Amino acid sequence: MPDVQGSDIDIPTGDGVADAYLAHPADGRPRPAVLFHQDAYGLRPHLRSMADRLAGAGYTVLVPNVFYRLGRAPVVDLPEFIDPDADPTLWERLGPIVSSLTPDLVERDAGAYLRWLADSPLAADGPVALTGYCMGARLALWTAAAHPDRVVAAAGFHGGRLATDDPGSPHLGAPDITAELYFGHADDDPSLPPEQIARFEEALSAAGVRHTCEVYPGAPHGYTQADTTAYHREADERHWSALLDLLERTF
């Protein structure tokens, strides 16, 4: 595992400047790039540590604050350990912020992030991969569909609302996706009931998208997030194995 260097950076977008975290092997050599899509809690120390671990496997990892239009991270004040049951107002504050991020905004911002990576001497030439968590799984799908020429692989973990009746539902972009996908669903997840899982896989299969979808038994929504009450160590380690396998296979 190489030494890792991390830094806070700013990325110009069509709507302002997105603050972001960049992690990469400390030798400074260009490495395959991974665009990391946050969960709803946003860019914080735990996501930086996840990016560092991924960079330690040999990748250049960019984690943008996708809520940058509302301010620099953290957009919402968070405790060191997140327990939604202990603060009923947390999701009252986060809900409107998450809803404000429409597919059009996600796709436009992704173009800025991908251009930044294309220009960075720390990112190897060629396509990028995506990984996303909770709401970030939706962002990864929208990005893969909007930028098929740039995305070779995309992963999503404990994603919610992947195949709804909404006209902007992520599964509807399947015909435009050329990347290979891996999705690790949480077990008994209210945000992704069995009928949505079935609809999601049917859409991918009908579009001819190479994909693997698995339900992680006993894993709650948010199982990768060690700074929350949802963390599930076994499922988290399974996620790391699946993600690294996807990247090694596609890059």
PDB file of all heavy atoms in Angstrom, residues 200-214:
ATOM      1  N   PHE A 200     -35.025  -2.194 -11.061  1.00  0.00           N
ATOM      2  CA  PHE A 200     -33.680  -1.723 -11.383  1.00  0.00           C
ATOM      3  C   PHE A 200     -32.935  -2.762 -12.221  1.00  0.00           C
ATOM      4  O   PHE A 200     -32.375  -2.449 -13.279  1.00  0.00           O
ATOM      5  CB  PHE A 200     -32.938  -1.438 -10.076  1.00  0.00           C
ATOM      6  CG  PHE A 200     -31.530  -0.939 -10.243  1.00  0.00           C
ATOM      7  CD1 PHE A 200     -31.255   0.187 -11.002  1.00  0.00           C
ATOM      8  CD2 PHE A 200     -30.469  -1.577  -9.622  1.00  0.00           C
ATOM      9  CE1 PHE A 200     -29.956   0.660 -11.154  1.00  0.00           C
ATOM     10  CE2 PHE A 200     -29.168  -1.117  -9.754  1.00  0.00           C
ATOM     11  CZ  PHE A 200     -28.915   0.000 -10.524  1.00  0.00           C
ATOM     12  N   GLU A 201     -32.936  -4.006 -11.770  1.00  0.00           N
ATOM     13  CA  GLU A 201     -32.221  -5.045 -12.513  1.00  0.00           C
ATOM     14  C   GLU A 201     -32.868  -5.314 -13.871  1.00  0.00           C
ATOM     15  O   GLU A 201     -32.161  -5.571 -14.861  1.00  0.00           O
ATOM     16  CB  GLU A 201     -32.149  -6.320 -11.680  1.00  0.00           C
ATOM     17  CG  GLU A 201     -31.288  -6.182 -10.443  1.00  0.00           C
ATOM     18  CD  GLU A 201     -30.746  -7.508  -9.966  1.00  0.00           C
ATOM     19  OE1 GLU A 201     -30.180  -8.247 -10.792  1.00  0.00           O
ATOM     20  OE2 GLU A 201     -30.890  -7.800  -8.774  1.00  0.00           O
ATOM     21  N   GLU A 202     -34.163  -5.249 -13.945  1.00  0.00           N
ATOM     22  CA  GLU A 202     -34.846  -5.440 -15.232  1.00  0.00           C
ATOM     23  C   GLU A 202     -34.431  -4.360 -16.226  1.00  0.00           C
ATOM     24  O   GLU A 202     -34.213  -4.640 -17.411  1.00  0.00           O
ATOM     25  CB  GLU A 202     -36.360  -5.426 -15.027  1.00  0.00           C
ATOM     26  CG  GLU A 202     -36.893  -6.672 -14.343  1.00  0.00           C
ATOM     27  CD  GLU A 202     -38.333  -6.510 -13.882  1.00  0.00           C
ATOM     28  OE1 GLU A 202     -38.933  -5.446 -14.173  1.00  0.00           O
ATOM     29  OE2 GLU A 202     -38.848  -7.434 -13.225  1.00  0.00           O
ATOM     30  N   ALA A 203     -34.315  -3.127 -15.758  1.00  0.00           N
ATOM     31  CA  ALA A 203     -33.913  -2.024 -16.637  1.00  0.00           C
ATOM     32  C   ALA A 203     -32.487  -2.216 -17.131  1.00  0.00           C
ATOM     33  O   ALA A 203     -32.195  -1.996 -18.326  1.00  0.00           O
ATOM     34  CB  ALA A 203     -34.045  -0.690 -15.908  1.00  0.00           C
ATOM     35  N   LEU A 204     -31.589  -2.624 -16.244  1.00  0.00           N
ATOM     36  CA  LEU A 204     -30.201  -2.844 -16.647  1.00  0.00           C
ATOM     37  C   LEU A 204     -30.101  -3.997 -17.651  1.00  0.00           C
ATOM     38  O   LEU A 204     -29.381  -3.899 -18.654  1.00  0.00           O
ATOM     39  CB  LEU A 204     -29.332  -3.133 -15.419  1.00  0.00           C
ATOM     40  CG  LEU A 204     -29.221  -2.018 -14.374  1.00  0.00           C
ATOM     41  CD1 LEU A 204     -28.322  -2.468 -13.222  1.00  0.00           C
ATOM     42  CD2 LEU A 204     -28.679  -0.725 -14.987  1.00  0.00           C
ATOM     43  N   SER A 205     -30.800  -5.075 -17.378  1.00  0.00           N
ATOM     44  CA  SER A 205     -30.756  -6.231 -18.277  1.00  0.00           C
ATOM     45  C   SER A 205     -31.340  -5.890 -19.639  1.00  0.00           C
ATOM     46  O   SER A 205     -30.777  -6.261 -20.678  1.00  0.00           O
ATOM     47  CB  SER A 205     -31.508  -7.411 -17.658  1.00  0.00           C
ATOM     48  OG  SER A 205     -30.873  -7.853 -16.473  1.00  0.00           O
ATOM     49  N   ALA A 206     -32.465  -5.180 -19.645  1.00  0.00           N
ATOM     50  CA  ALA A 206     -33.108  -4.822 -20.913  1.00  0.00           C
ATOM     51  C   ALA A 206     -32.208  -3.926 -21.756  1.00  0.00           C
ATOM     52  O   ALA A 206     -32.242  -3.991 -22.999  1.00  0.00           O
ATOM     53  CB  ALA A 206     -34.437  -4.125 -20.642  1.00  0.00           C
ATOM     54  N   ALA A 207     -31.394  -3.104 -21.101  1.00  0.00           N
ATOM     55  CA  ALA A 207     -30.493  -2.184 -21.812  1.00  0.00           C
ATOM     56  C   ALA A 207     -29.160  -2.840 -22.164  1.00  0.00           C
ATOM     57  O   ALA A 207     -28.326  -2.205 -22.817  1.00  0.00           O
ATOM     58  CB  ALA A 207     -30.248  -0.943 -20.966  1.00  0.00           C
ATOM     59  N   GLY A 208     -28.952  -4.073 -21.727  1.00  0.00           N
ATOM     60  CA  GLY A 208     -27.692  -4.759 -22.030  1.00  0.00           C
ATOM     61  C   GLY A 208     -26.514  -4.236 -21.223  1.00  0.00           C
ATOM     62  O   GLY A 208     -25.361  -4.389 -21.652  1.00  0.00           O
ATOM     63  N   VAL A 209     -26.785  -3.648 -20.052  1.00  0.00           N
ATOM     64  CA  VAL A 209     -25.711  -3.123 -19.207  1.00  0.00           C
ATOM     65  C   VAL A 209     -25.060  -4.279 -18.443  1.00  0.00           C
ATOM     66  O   VAL A 209     -25.755  -5.084 -17.813  1.00  0.00           O
ATOM     67  CB  VAL A 209     -26.255  -2.082 -18.206  1.00  0.00           C
ATOM     68  CG1 VAL A 209     -25.151  -1.598 -17.280  1.00  0.00           C
ATOM     69  CG2 VAL A 209     -26.892  -0.909 -18.948  1.00  0.00           C
ATOM     70  N   ARG A 210     -23.737  -4.364 -18.497  1.00  0.00           N
ATOM     71  CA  ARG A 210     -23.031  -5.362 -17.700  1.00  0.00           C
ATOM     72  C   ARG A 210     -23.157  -4.966 -16.232  1.00  0.00           C
ATOM     73  O   ARG A 210     -22.782  -3.860 -15.845  1.00  0.00           O
ATOM     74  CB  ARG A 210     -21.550  -5.407 -18.088  1.00  0.00           C
ATOM     75  CG  ARG A 210     -21.269  -5.917 -19.500  1.00  0.00           C
ATOM     76  CD  ARG A 210     -19.848  -5.596 -19.892  1.00  0.00           C
ATOM     77  NE  ARG A 210     -19.640  -4.145 -19.974  1.00  0.00           N
ATOM     78  CZ  ARG A 210     -18.460  -3.558 -19.826  1.00  0.00           C
ATOM     79  NH1 ARG A 210     -17.375  -4.271 -19.591  1.00  0.00           N
ATOM     80  NH2 ARG A 210     -18.355  -2.239 -19.920  1.00  0.00           N
ATOM     81  N   HIS A 211     -23.671  -5.866 -15.425  1.00  0.00           N
ATOM     82  CA  HIS A 211     -23.915  -5.479 -14.039  1.00  0.00           C
ATOM     83  C   HIS A 211     -23.949  -6.680 -13.110  1.00  0.00           C
ATOM     84  O   HIS A 211     -24.221  -7.806 -13.533  1.00  0.00           O
ATOM     85  CB  HIS A 211     -25.239  -4.723 -13.928  1.00  0.00           C
ATOM     86  CG  HIS A 211     -26.453  -5.587 -14.163  1.00  0.00           C
ATOM     87  ND1 HIS A 211     -26.902  -5.904 -15.427  1.00  0.00           N
ATOM     88  CD2 HIS A 211     -27.309  -6.211 -13.295  1.00  0.00           C
ATOM     89  CE1 HIS A 211     -27.975  -6.680 -15.340  1.00  0.00           C
ATOM     90  NE2 HIS A 211     -28.242  -6.880 -14.052  1.00  0.00           N
ATOM     91  N   THR A 212     -23.666  -6.381 -11.864  1.00  0.00           N
ATOM     92  CA  THR A 212     -23.843  -7.323 -10.761  1.00  0.00           C
ATOM     93  C   THR A 212     -24.561  -6.579  -9.643  1.00  0.00           C
ATOM     94  O   THR A 212     -24.137  -5.490  -9.249  1.00  0.00           O
ATOM     95  CB  THR A 212     -22.493  -7.842 -10.235  1.00  0.00           C
ATOM     96  OG1 THR A 212     -21.796  -8.506 -11.293  1.00  0.00           O
ATOM     97  CG2 THR A 212     -22.704  -8.818  -9.079  1.00  0.00           C
ATOM     98  N   CYS A 213     -25.653  -7.152  -9.167  1.00  0.00           N
ATOM     99  CA  CYS A 213     -26.395  -6.572  -8.055  1.00  0.00           C
ATOM    100  C   CYS A 213     -26.544  -7.639  -6.975  1.00  0.00           C
ATOM    101  O   CYS A 213     -26.967  -8.761  -7.259  1.00  0.00           O
ATOM    102  CB  CYS A 213     -27.775  -6.094  -8.496  1.00  0.00           C
ATOM    103  SG  CYS A 213     -27.762  -4.705  -9.654  1.00  0.00           S
ATOM    104  N   GLU A 214     -26.198  -7.265  -5.749  1.00  0.00           N
ATOM    105  CA  GLU A 214     -26.272  -8.199  -4.635  1.00  0.00           C
ATOM    106  C   GLU A 214     -26.905  -7.512  -3.434  1.00  0.00           C
ATOM    107  O   GLU A 214     -26.672  -6.322  -3.209  1.00  0.00           O
ATOM    108  CB  GLU A 214     -24.874  -8.688  -4.255  1.00  0.00           C
ATOM    109  CG  GLU A 214     -24.158  -9.433  -5.372  1.00  0.00           C
ATOM    110  CD  GLU A 214     -22.764  -9.880  -4.992  1.00  0.00           C
ATOM    111  OE1 GLU A 214     -21.982  -9.037  -4.485  1.00  0.00           O
ATOM    112  OE2 GLU A 214     -22.464 -11.065  -5.200  1.00  0.00           O
TER     113      GLU A 214
END
